[in-house]
């Protein structure tokens, strides 16, 4: 019986009519890889970038076992786990970091193409370094997010790259013949005296985006001994706080695995790795109520290639839960998003600290 996608849950942070649990690119990747996936031995299939688990679970439903899966975002992992339980396919896969254990000996890799060319280069280099010499990579995406440069990135690591016909505004690239593999290494830069490290796909790369610059220009010294950098990205705010205030302990957290790896590298490069603890978390889900006094936040409004309007309000709500009464949430946001009423309602009294042509910095005091 063909696998039914109807039961798959969508991720809670993704909204919109074209952001269901499966899309045309998923279906095309599965159709184009059908023959390659047939009769694979246990552990020979790898899936990377599976938003909700459609690629993994459809493959498991046709007999694949020991599937190794990497999803950058923690919410993707949780959606996959929930969908596996709902469809009776839990135990057919393992979620792993983006490292050698993920792709060692792989015969087939299903890949949702990332928008970042550097992220694709990191993934392609890792596959070429550790996968089976006969590996075939079936990499697909929506046409609006694909560029010819992706073909060139794959050709840097594979002898042969073929292209499928387009279907329902989606396309697949096939890469074979791995060569010149390489482990991912972070991009490095020094910006405004801060050492920045960024693995492929990390927001803003090895730079400091203008919103974060404005936030850093106005952040005060936290009154407590600890601070939180929520949605930390490459960890610039966490490391800057630790460098400025030598007795301060900082928690940097993000749901993105590449952000967490980048933030750890950034903290180490600034010599504050002993005082910056980096954690992969869904907002602040592992933190107790009324347990923090200072949170800095530059909320994202994208999840991968998708607009995710639900992300910021979820972060405001969890920050409000974790902050002690009188604790402060320092937020920078694109002024057009008009977050101040939400901050007032969810967290507490909010005042503007700074504003330039594009961004606003506010501080909200928890009730």
């Amino acid at each position: 019986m063909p696998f039914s996608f109807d039961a798959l849950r969508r991720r809670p942070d993704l909204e919109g009519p074209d952001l269901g649990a499966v899309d045309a690119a998923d279906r095309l990747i599965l159709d184009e890889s059908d023959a390659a996936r047939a009769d694979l031995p246990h552990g020979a299939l790898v899936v990377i970038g599976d938003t909700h688990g459609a690629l993994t679970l459809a493959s498991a439903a046709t007999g694949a076992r020991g599937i190794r899966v990497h999803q950058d975002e923690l919410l993707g992992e949780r959606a996959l786990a929930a969908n596996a339980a709902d469809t009776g396919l839990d135990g057919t896969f393992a979620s792993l970091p983006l490292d050698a254990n993920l792709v060692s000996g792989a015969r087939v890799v299903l890949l949702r193409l990332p928008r970042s060319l550097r992220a694709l280069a990191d993934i392609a280099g890792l596959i070429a370094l550790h996968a089976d010499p006969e590996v075939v990579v079936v990499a697909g995406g929506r046409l609006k997010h694909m560029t010819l440069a992706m073909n060139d990135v794959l050709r840097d690591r594979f002898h042969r790259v073929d292209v499928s016909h387009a279907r329902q505004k989606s396309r697949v690239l096939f890469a074979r013949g791995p060569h010149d593999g390489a482990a991912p290494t972070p991009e490095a830069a020094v910006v405004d005296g801060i050492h920045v490290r960024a693995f492929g796909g990390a927001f803003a790369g090895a730079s400091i985006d203008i919103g974060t610059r404005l936030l850093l220009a106005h952040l005060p010294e936290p009154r407590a001994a600890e601070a939180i950098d929520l949605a930390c990205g490459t960890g610039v705010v966490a490391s800057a706080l630790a460098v400025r205030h030598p007795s301060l302990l900082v928690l940097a957290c993000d749901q993105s695995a590449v952000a967490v790896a980048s933030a750890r590298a950034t903290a180490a490069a600034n010599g504050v790795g002993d005082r910056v603890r980096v954690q992969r978390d869904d907002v602040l889900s592992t933190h107790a109520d009324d347990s923090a006094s200072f949170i800095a936040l530059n909320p994202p409004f994208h999840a991968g290639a998708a607009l995710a309007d639900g992300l910021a309000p979820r972060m405001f709500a969890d920050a409000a839960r974790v902050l002690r009464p009188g604790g402060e949430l320092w937020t920078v946001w694109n002024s057009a998003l008009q977050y101040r009423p939400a901050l007032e309602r969810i967290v507490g009294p909010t005042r503007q600290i700074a504003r330039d042509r594009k961004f606003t910095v506010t501080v909200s005091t928890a009730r």
Side-chain angles (χ1 to χ4, degrees):
M1 179 181 295
F3 179 71
S4 173
F5 297 102
D6 294 341
L8 299 188
R9 305 182 199 178
R10 294 167 22 145
R11 278 175 41 179
D13 59 323
L14 297 185
E15 305 288 344
D18 61 342
L19 295 173
V22 61
D23 67 12
D26 292 322
R27 295 178 188 273
L28 186 59
I29 290 169
L30 289 166
D31 289 347
E32 294 285 358
S33 67
D34 187 60
R37 289 184 288 113
D39 301 319
L40 279 177
H42 186 281
L45 176 64
V46 171
V47 180
I48 301 175
D50 199 1
T51 307
H52 299 78
L55 298 176
T56 304
L57 298 179
S59 298
T62 56
R65 292 296 181 268
I67 305 169
R68 289 172 283 174
V69 184
H70 175 74
Q71 295 155 285
D72 180 65
E73 294 179 328
L74 183 58
L75 285 174
E77 282 189 16
R78 292 182 175 176
L80 170 57
N83 285 326
D86 289 347
T87 55
L89 291 169
D90 39 354
T92 60
F93 64 90
S95 292
L96 298 173
L98 187 66
D99 61 17
N101 291 328
L102 174 71
V103 296
S104 180
R107 297 289 301 274
V108 176
V109 178
L110 307 186
L111 169 65
R112 280 300 300 251
L113 285 163
R115 293 184 75 177
S116 162
L117 293 179
R118 286 204 66 247
L120 180 58
D122 282 354
I123 293 167
L126 192 69
I127 296 169
L129 184 62
H130 295 291
D132 188 279
E134 300 301 315
V135 67
V136 55
V137 179
V138 185
R142 304 288 282 167
L143 289 175
K144 63 184 178 180
H145 301 311
M146 296 177 68
T147 67
L148 289 175
M150 291 176 172
N151 303 41
D152 297 331
V153 170
L154 290 174
R155 288 192 184 99
D156 286 341
R157 301 298 183 186
F158 295 88
H159 288 294
R160 180 175 175 180
V161 176
D162 298 307
V163 184
S164 78
H165 293 294
R167 189 181 81 186
Q168 294 182 300
K169 300 180 181 179
S170 302
R171 194 184 295 278
V172 162
L173 308 178
F174 303 89
R176 299 177 176 88
H179 65 86
D180 298 321
T185 56
E187 183 183 4
V190 180
V191 185
D192 297 339
I194 297 294
H195 295 264
V196 185
R197 300 291 183 268
F199 287 93
F203 173 69
S207 66
I208 301 178
D209 67 281
I210 56 177
T212 296
R213 284 177 185 268
L214 188 64
L215 180 63
L216 286 173
H218 294 279
L219 279 180
E221 180 176 1
R223 294 190 296 270
E226 298 183 0
I228 296 174
D229 178 9
L230 175 57
C232 66
T234 57
V236 166
V237 170
S239 287
L241 283 170
V243 167
R244 292 175 182 178
H245 313 296
S247 63
L248 186 68
L249 301 178
V250 186
L251 169 70
C253 57
D254 203 295
Q255 70 143 338
S256 161
V258 75
V260 166
S262 300
R264 287 186 178 133
T266 294
N270 286 282
V272 293
D274 58 334
R275 290 188 292 113
V276 175
R277 179 168 63 93
V278 185
Q279 181 179 37
R280 190 170 181 230
D281 196 1
D282 176 16
V283 197
L284 295 168
S285 65
T286 61
H287 289 73
D289 296 358
D290 302 331
S291 60
S293 296
F294 188 98
I295 299 175
L297 170 62
N298 183 355
F301 52 92
H302 282 86
L307 284 171
D309 294 338
L311 279 174
R314 289 182 74 235
M315 291 180 173
F316 300 160
D318 224 24
R321 177 186 63 80
V322 169
L323 282 171
R324 301 180 182 97
E328 293 180 343
L329 172 64
W330 287 75
T331 310
V332 62
W333 37 277
N334 189 308
S335 301
L337 296 173
Q338 300 182 357
Y339 282 151
R340 185 166 177 174
L343 288 163
E344 290 265 7
R345 182 180 71 255
I346 297 170
V347 183
T350 299
R351 58 190 174 93
Q352 179 177 302
I353 299 298
R355 185 184 180 105
D356 62 15
R357 289 180 299 173
K358 190 171 182 180
F359 287 93
T360 300
V361 174
T362 56
V363 57
S364 305
T365 303
R367 294 185 182 88

